[in-house]
Amino acid sequence: MSDRFSRNLDQPDEVLRFEKLTQEKVELGELTVGRTTLLPGWRWSLHVQPRVGGTWCKARHVGVVLSGQFGVVFADGSKMEFGPNDAFDIPPEHDGYTIGDDLCVQIEWGGLNAFSPPGAGVVRMLATLLMTDIVGSTELALKLGDSAWRSLLSSHFEAARIELDRFNGRLVKTTGDGLLATFDGPAQALECAAALSRTATRQTLSIRAAVHVGEVERVGADIRGIAVHQAQRIMAQASGNEVLVSELTRALSTGSGLSFDDRGVHSLKGLSNEYRLFALVAS
């Protein structure tokens, strides 16, 4: 089952303001959607370029106009104009401007970062990541049927949220049949992973899990970065009812009373270098 997201632009994750421009963004998993409101007289080269740099807007903008009008002029001198209900796909190397005396309101899902100064809306932080998924979920879903599988998955996530609350974890998102959560430190994340595994077993499910410490970017309610991909690749090496951790995570857990078995050195798909992994020993 794919993730399902619903967000309201009146409750944005981020609001960006320039002179004569307001942009409200929401995060839908890996997709960012924004509502851009442009006042009469707005022009990229006058009101945005001085803060973001460049001779021309370097972004490809994809979206639709809800109201008002705007135009673009390209480096070769050609122009395009857009009005209500026009969907647009504007290539890089252009200057944009409003037309007429009305507000121009657009919904965009491509090129939103073009209005962001370097680093705007992005917070980098060190986090402990917990990632899980259900082993054999596709086969189990086919065996149970859609209705029974949805019910079981719902019960699994409900129980997972209880354990996350108990160990002070923060749910970032569900990932089809798994989840991604963050913690302030590895000990709580590991204890939570073990609890999630026990809970899943009682539900006749088997999960694999990974706990990894690394730097991530927080964008709205989501997190991104190499550490997230590392956690995913570590999890993929785990067997059912197994919690795998990176070497750094194990080292940072010293003094917690937790024990680990060395699982050796692994090459993780798509990542350079090799990683020594450890399995949490059930208490």
Side-chain angles (χ1 to χ4, degrees):
M1 181 188 300
S2 61
D3 291 334
R4 300 173 182 179
F5 299 94
S6 176
R7 301 300 310 281
N8 193 303
L9 285 163
D10 290 332
Q11 298 175 318
D13 295 313
E14 179 188 355
V15 179
L16 186 66
R17 290 185 174 88
F18 286 78
E19 185 180 355
K20 297 182 180 292
L21 179 152
T22 301
Q23 191 173 78
E24 299 141 316
K25 304 179 186 178
V26 295
E27 301 293 330
L28 298 176
E30 295 298 316
L31 179 67
T32 302
V33 177
R35 177 172 59 196
T36 304
T37 302
L38 306 172
L39 294 177
W42 174 84
R43 191 171 188 117
W44 180 88
S45 56
L46 294 176
H47 303 113
V48 179
Q49 187 272 343
R51 286 176 60 181
V52 303
T55 304
W56 300 94
C57 179
K58 299 293 186 181
R60 172 192 175 193
H61 290 277
V62 182
V64 63
V65 181
L66 299 185
S67 63
Q69 294 179 299
F70 80 102
V72 292
V73 58
F74 297 97
D76 63 2
S78 60
K79 296 182 180 181
M80 296 183 70
E81 295 184 354
F82 306 89
N85 300 319
D86 283 339
F88 55 85
D89 185 346
I90 302 168
E93 302 293 324
H94 62 268
D95 186 11
Y97 53 90
T98 53
I99 299 173
D101 299 325
D102 297 324
L103 295 174
C104 180
V105 181
Q106 310 167 10
I107 298 295
E108 292 186 75
W109 51 90
L112 290 169
N113 290 334
F115 296 138
S116 300
V122 176
V123 177
R124 293 192 66 83
M125 62 181 186
L126 187 67
T128 299
L129 311 180
L130 166 61
M131 185 172 285
T132 73
D133 77 355
I134 297 173
V135 177
S137 59
T138 300
E139 294 80 0
L140 186 56
L142 290 172
K143 178 182 177 181
L144 295 176
D146 291 343
S147 179
W149 170 243
R150 283 196 302 270
S151 178
L152 180 58
L153 195 59
S154 178
S155 297
H156 173 65
F157 284 138
E158 182 178 352
R161 286 183 173 89
I162 292 173
E163 297 298 345
L164 287 173
D165 288 342
R166 187 158 72 98
F167 292 99
N168 298 313
R170 294 171 294 277
L171 179 66
V172 176
K173 59 186 174 184
T174 56
T175 55
D177 58 0
L179 61 84
L180 172 63
T182 62
F183 294 77
D184 291 331
Q188 287 182 311
L190 288 161
E191 295 280 11
C192 185
L196 290 175
S197 182
R198 292 192 295 269
T199 299
T201 299
R202 290 194 294 269
Q203 296 174 315
T204 67
L205 294 172
S206 174
I207 67 169
R208 58 171 66 91
V211 175
H212 179 56
V213 177
E215 191 174 57
V216 297
E217 292 183 349
R218 187 176 68 210
V219 183
D222 200 3
I223 60 171
R224 299 172 183 172
I226 296 299
V228 178
H229 296 285
Q230 290 170 332
Q232 186 177 39
R233 296 295 186 248
I234 293 170
M235 180 188 68
Q237 300 295 318
S239 303
N241 300 317
E242 187 174 50
V243 180
L244 289 184
V245 307
S246 57
E247 189 167 13
L248 175 61
T249 304
R250 182 198 62 81
L252 291 173
S253 302
T254 302
S256 66
L258 300 171
S259 300
F260 302 88
D261 283 338
D262 191 337
R263 288 289 190 262
V265 176
H266 296 255
S267 296
L268 303 182
K269 182 179 178 181
L271 300 176
S272 59
N273 303 322
E274 293 184 321
Y275 294 76
R276 183 171 292 279
L277 304 181
F278 298 82
L280 176 67
V281 176
S283 57

